[in-house]
Amino acid sequence: MKARIQENVALAPLTTFGIGGPARYFVDAPSENVVLSTIQFAKDQNLSVFVLGGGSNLLVADHGFPGLVMKIGLTGIDWETHRDKAVVRAGAGEEWDRLVGLCVDRDLAGVECLSGIPGSVGGTPVQNVGAYGQEVSEVLVSVRAYDRQTDSIVELSREDCRFTYRSSLFNTIAKDRYIVLQVTYSLTKHGNPAIRYPDVQREFESRVGYPLLGEVRAAVRRIRARKAMLLVEGDPDCRSAGSFFKNPIVTEQQFAELQVVAGPAVPRYPAGPGRVKTAAAWLIEHAGFSKGYSLGPAALSSKHTLALVNKGGATAEDILRLAREIRGRVETKFGFRLVPEPVFLGFDIPLLIQEGWVNAS
Ligand code: EPU
């Protein structure tokens, strides 16, 4: 099948922020063949290509993107069982939360705490999606991807993907090199749910015995809804890209210095040997921004200070203006520069680098 190239397609409706201008060229790619022919078209026309998944972690510039946006629509889910494990292969365009629901329905453990996360399967290895004590890297076996450098389809193992907190090969050293086509996960049949995170533990305080996977999925969706981190159609409080900033990971020494300024209540989570993760939401709140704080049509969610929301009619520049103010005040008060989590598309790169939103590398 050949690619159907569309022109000047609005991107805002394809993102959870609901912000941004059009793509100069746009292709909906439902098959690997279309992905390959689209790449060929972009090469011939000398266009840069942006691969769009669920649009849930993306801020598009107001003037849009002058290259080609390819929306990955590869679907299909295969199940294979081996003793106590089930191996699941899912097309990159499958909706992530639907896949989690199917796993839970089949009593397969390993992704139940990743319920209610917007976006597609293809995005999960890119930013090593994680929540409530689970990370995709714990269950991921391999990623089938198109390698733009060698012009071939490759299978990358979990080790190849180099997962760390919210990070992988795909969003660091090999940024823009691979296009994720399919992801393989290994889940545990009839496994116990992960009840590692205090918020989830609290939901089951009075329950005797392990909750069922389905109960954990329901609890996580409830918790996310309370924090406006569950997309609810028509609710402007979740017109966002989830967490706008990453949680800072610092050394023990830096954390001790932070405690001097912030006091003993500053959240502390383990982050590997000699490292501590703290909560950006807490730093933002204690830098003086309360939930619901707004700057024109851009605001903090009324339920969580880490989600910047488009109250209606906000531009990308409105969001950046608010983000600058937050980052500036947190830096002045606590000495940390918060790093954004969403991908920025269509912005002037030298300006983004100059303003410190992205690295020069
Ligand atoms: N907090 C505040 N104010 C708030 C919200 C939270 O001070 O408005 C404090 C709380 O005291 C809490 C701490 O911040 O102790 C952490 O908050 P929360 O448990 O809600 O988690 P988070 O660190 O803000 C991270 C992920 C979420 C993920 C949750 C649950 C990042 C950047 N965010 O949020 O992921 O769902 O943990 O595991 O790692 C996302 O990445 O888009 C995302 C939603």
Side-chain angles (χ1 to χ4, degrees):
M1 191 171 29
K2 272 198 63 184
R4 193 169 77 84
I5 317 274
Q6 303 173 62
E7 292 190 54
N8 298 320
V9 171
L11 291 174
L14 302 174
T15 72
T16 52
F17 249 140
I19 288 177
R24 175 72 187 89
Y25 295 99
F26 181 88
V27 173
D28 219 326
S31 68
E32 290 190 356
N33 281 343
V34 174
V35 171
L36 300 185
S37 62
T38 303
I39 292 292
Q40 194 51 51
F41 170 82
K43 261 190 205 159
D44 296 344
Q45 305 287 318
N46 206 12
L47 294 168
S48 51
V49 176
F50 178 78
V51 175
L52 178 68
S56 57
N57 194 40
L58 180 64
L59 182 63
V60 179
D62 295 317
H63 55 256
F65 178 61
L68 183 150
V69 170
M70 173 162 54
K71 176 148 173 64
I72 297 291
L74 296 152
T75 52
I77 302 177
D78 296 332
W79 308 84
E80 223 177 80
T81 51
H82 305 271
R83 291 186 173 197
D84 60 334
K85 294 284 182 192
V87 173
V88 184
R89 271 185 204 86
E94 286 286 347
E95 190 193 326
W96 170 251
D97 193 47
R98 185 176 98 85
L99 179 66
V100 173
L102 293 173
C103 293
V104 166
D105 288 348
R106 289 168 180 240
D107 205 22
L108 302 175
V111 288
E112 60 284 351
C113 291
L114 305 179
S115 292
I117 296 181
S120 60
V121 161
T124 61
V126 176
Q127 59 152 346
N128 186 14
V129 161
Y132 303 107
Q134 268 179 346
E135 266 183 6
V136 148
S137 56
E138 295 168 39
V139 291
L140 185 140
V141 177
S142 61
V143 175
R144 180 178 164 86
Y146 170 70
D147 181 350
R148 297 172 66 182
Q149 198 164 301
T150 59
D151 191 18
S152 60
I153 290 181
V154 294
E155 193 82 17
L156 300 164
S157 69
R158 181 196 335 217
E159 288 66 35
D160 293 335
C161 293
R162 306 208 191 186
F163 292 120
T164 56
Y165 166 67
R166 291 292 188 276
S167 167
S168 71
L169 173 82
F170 307 107
N171 63 4
T172 56
I173 49 171
K175 205 164 171 289
D176 298 332
R177 175 167 170 183
Y178 297 102
I179 297 175
V180 177
L181 303 169
Q182 186 187 55
V183 186
T184 303
Y185 309 91
S186 171
L187 302 159
T188 307
K189 281 196 225 162
H190 317 300
N192 284 330
I195 320 268
R196 303 173 185 153
Y197 199 86
D199 280 358
V200 183
Q201 287 164 352
R202 264 193 299 277
E203 293 281 316
F204 296 107
E205 253 158 17
S206 53
R207 195 187 189 292
V208 182
Y210 258 98
L212 302 171
L213 293 173
E215 291 174 87
V216 173
R217 171 166 167 77
V220 166
R221 290 180 61 96
R222 269 198 310 277
I223 299 167
R224 293 189 73 92
R226 281 204 296 271
K227 296 186 180 185
M229 296 283 183
L230 188 75
L231 287 189
V232 179
E233 195 73 43
D235 179 356
D237 210 21
C238 41
R239 206 184 291 138
S240 76
S243 302
F244 192 86
F245 294 103
K246 293 185 194 176
N247 283 333
I249 296 183
V250 297
T251 61
E252 287 281 1
Q253 170 68 27
Q254 287 170 317
F255 189 75
E257 286 163 17
L258 174 64
Q259 275 184 315
V260 173
V261 188
V266 57
R268 173 193 173 112
Y269 311 105
R275 314 283 282 173
V276 177
K277 183 157 85 176
T278 189
W282 192 97
L283 298 176
I284 293 170
E285 186 128 13
H286 289 78
F289 295 95
S290 39
K291 297 178 184 67
Y293 174 87
S294 64
L295 190 62
L300 294 182
S301 151
S302 67
K303 302 189 186 84
H304 202 293
T305 55
L306 204 48
L308 271 64
V309 299
N310 165 13
K311 284 200 299 179
T315 61
E317 197 41 52
D318 291 327
I319 297 289
L320 277 188
R321 197 173 306 128
L322 175 59
R324 272 187 215 113
E325 185 181 332
I326 292 167
R327 197 182 62 170
R329 249 202 265 171
V330 167
E331 192 167 8
T332 307
K333 179 138 191 201
F334 299 114
F336 285 119
R337 175 167 270 210
L338 295 176
V339 175
E341 193 182 278
V343 170
F344 289 59
L345 177 67
F347 292 85
D348 178 30
I349 304 284
L351 194 72
L352 285 183
I353 294 171
Q354 190 196 326
E355 285 200 17
W357 292 113
V358 295
N359 283 331
S361 57

